[in-house]
Amino acid sequence: MIPDATMTLDLVDIGANLTHDSFDQDRDEVLARARAAGVRQMVLTGSTVPESHAAAALAAAHAGELYATAGIHPHHARELDAGSIPALRGIAAAPQVVAIGECGLDYYRNFSPHEDQERAFAAQLELACELGMPAFLHQRDAHERFVAILREHRPRLVRAVAHCFTGTAAELDDYLALDLHIGITGWICDERRGLHLRELVKRVPVERLMLETDAPYLLPRDLDPKPSSRRNEPMYLPHVLEVVAACRGEPAAALADAITSTARRFFGLPPPVVVASSDS
Ligand SMILES: [Zn+2]
């Protein structure tokens, strides 16, 4: 935990699935806890057309604090039909919708056929190019195809983030060469499968680095004390910050300032409406 810095932290959680039904009973409390922990702004992930509508609506109800993406996750790529892209275009017209995605390829779960995934990915990259909006990208076990498709669109794409990066050094190099931003989650806190990230995160330039919880997923495994619920919340983002800062050998407060600026530039967010009172 971050003892004294918490009051003055100003963090952006760039990936939170707050429309998830696990938050239905206590969403306001979750937001209040995030605020108290210094997470001033959150970008809600849209993963289907209806979810993107819901994320945009929730963000509209918390203007200046919550933002949203509009997209179709590769798991749902088989649901893409003639109405999907026009629907996303409509959702993306709202001012609180700040990126297209999450979109990409997931050959690990393969919930949708590869052809459907590739078609949905390309169509959403095309939409992001058309609208001049950043793209929020997901990739698992599909690096080569992912990079090949992305490369075609990259020259016209303003910005893109590889969200929840968990890959190898070579994959990171490919992403940085494509001038992608890199989203780091609490995966880095996982002593079973996240250790390699502790080295790799040093190689991400601070103007390309952003943090996310991916709540309610990916609860950091090393929280102390361990929460009673396995549900992740944006309030744990400062913990991810602390781990990343330790890996990089940088003071957490300075890293927070730098990556928050990076996130605001990436998504075009204004400074938060509610400014924390300084804890004197
Ligand atoms: Zn994802």
Side-chain angles (χ1 to χ4, degrees):
M1 294 289 112
I2 304 199
D4 297 324
T6 304
M7 287 302 289
T8 50
L9 271 180
D10 172 15
L11 292 174
V12 180
D13 185 346
I14 69 148
N17 304 277
L18 291 190
T19 56
H20 193 276
D21 57 17
S22 67
F23 294 117
D24 284 353
Q25 301 308 313
D26 63 347
R27 198 166 278 110
D28 286 339
E29 286 90 330
V30 168
L31 290 175
R33 284 195 287 271
R35 241 170 255 139
V39 182
R40 306 283 173 218
Q41 292 170 317
M42 290 152 259
V43 181
L44 313 182
T45 309
S47 51
T48 63
V49 170
E51 281 292 324
S52 299
H53 270 298
L58 181 57
H62 297 268
E65 181 177 36
L66 301 187
Y67 296 84
T69 70
I72 298 172
H73 190 284
H75 290 345
H76 298 279
R78 61 163 78 239
E79 295 160 26
L80 186 103
D81 62 26
S84 302
I85 296 298
L88 293 179
R89 186 183 288 114
I91 297 167
Q96 74 278 20
V97 178
V98 292
I100 298 299
E102 75 178 283
C103 60
L105 301 177
D106 194 310
Y107 292 178
Y108 177 71
R109 301 255 186 233
N110 285 316
F111 289 156
S112 285
H114 290 188
E115 313 86 82
D116 290 353
Q117 291 194 36
E118 296 193 6
R119 189 170 56 241
F121 182 30
Q124 290 177 82
L125 289 176
E126 201 51 48
L127 182 64
C129 293
E130 170 201 319
L131 299 176
M133 291 175 74
F136 192 86
L137 306 175
H138 172 106
Q139 186 279 119
R140 201 157 176 206
D141 280 8
H143 181 73
E144 297 305 324
R145 287 299 297 151
F146 177 84
V147 164
I149 293 168
L150 188 55
R151 201 167 268 142
E152 290 173 33
H153 295 84
R154 188 65 189 91
R156 293 188 303 121
L157 192 56
V158 284
R159 291 176 296 285
V161 56
H163 119 90
C164 191
F165 177 80
T166 59
T168 65
E171 290 177 0
L172 181 62
D173 289 344
D174 284 347
Y175 290 170
L176 292 175
L178 279 164
D179 199 21
L180 298 193
H181 285 63
I182 306 295
I184 297 290
T185 62
W187 190 290
I188 197 169
C189 307
D190 188 331
E191 79 289 352
R192 303 164 307 171
R193 55 183 188 176
L195 287 179
H196 70 294
L197 285 180
R198 299 186 186 196
E199 278 302 311
L200 292 186
V201 76
K202 297 179 196 167
R203 293 163 51 171
V204 182
V206 76
E207 68 278 3
R208 289 290 173 271
L209 179 64
M210 302 194 286
L211 298 185
E212 47 180 331
T213 56
D214 207 22
Y217 313 111
L218 300 180
L219 179 73
R221 281 175 54 84
D222 59 346
L223 288 173
D224 184 19
K226 265 198 193 315
S228 52
S229 161
R230 289 186 36 82
R231 185 186 69 174
N232 196 7
E233 292 188 23
M235 70 177 293
Y236 297 126
L237 195 66
H239 176 77
V240 180
L241 166 75
E242 197 183 47
V243 172
V244 169
C247 293
R248 293 169 65 96
E250 296 170 25
L255 183 64
D257 284 350
I259 61 176
T260 294
S261 301
T262 297
R264 294 216 169 102
R265 267 198 310 275
F266 181 89
F267 291 105
L269 309 185
V273 179
V274 186
V275 179
S277 58
S278 63
D279 58 333
S280 46

